[in-house]
Amino acid sequence: MDRPIEANWHCKRSGDCCTQTSQVVMTPEEAQLLAQARPDLVFHQHLDRRFVYLQAKPCPLLSYTPD
């Protein structure tokens, strides 16, 4: 099972996480904010009920650029 990312994690822009992980895990609050910008994304309930996730490989946010 993929573990949620630590709160102090910072993206190194290597692309490894975006192309290698099977899930992008986040809190429901984070997902709600993201869904406002990207209503096309489908979130799933994580096994750890405190989180939701996006299917990845590649991450659907990899090519996202906010307006």
Side-chain angles (χ1 to χ4, degrees):
M1 168 175 60
D2 292 357
R3 292 181 40 194
I5 294 174
E6 300 285 332
N8 61 357
W9 177 84
H10 296 285
C11 179
K12 294 180 178 43
R13 298 181 184 261
S14 66
D16 292 343
C17 296
C18 303
T19 58
Q20 302 299 320
T21 188
S22 62
Q23 298 176 351
V24 179
V25 180
M26 64 194 75
T27 66
E29 295 81 13
E30 291 167 329
Q32 186 176 23
L33 290 172
L34 186 55
Q36 291 174 6
R38 290 284 308 270
D40 58 311
L41 296 176
V42 177
F43 298 91
H44 305 278
Q45 185 67 54
H46 193 274
L47 290 175
D48 180 337
R49 306 295 272 172
R50 297 173 296 165
F51 301 97
V52 296
Y53 69 92
L54 292 170
Q55 284 300 123
K57 285 200 175 189
C59 171
L61 303 176
L62 182 59
S63 62
Y64 174 68
T65 54
D67 294 334

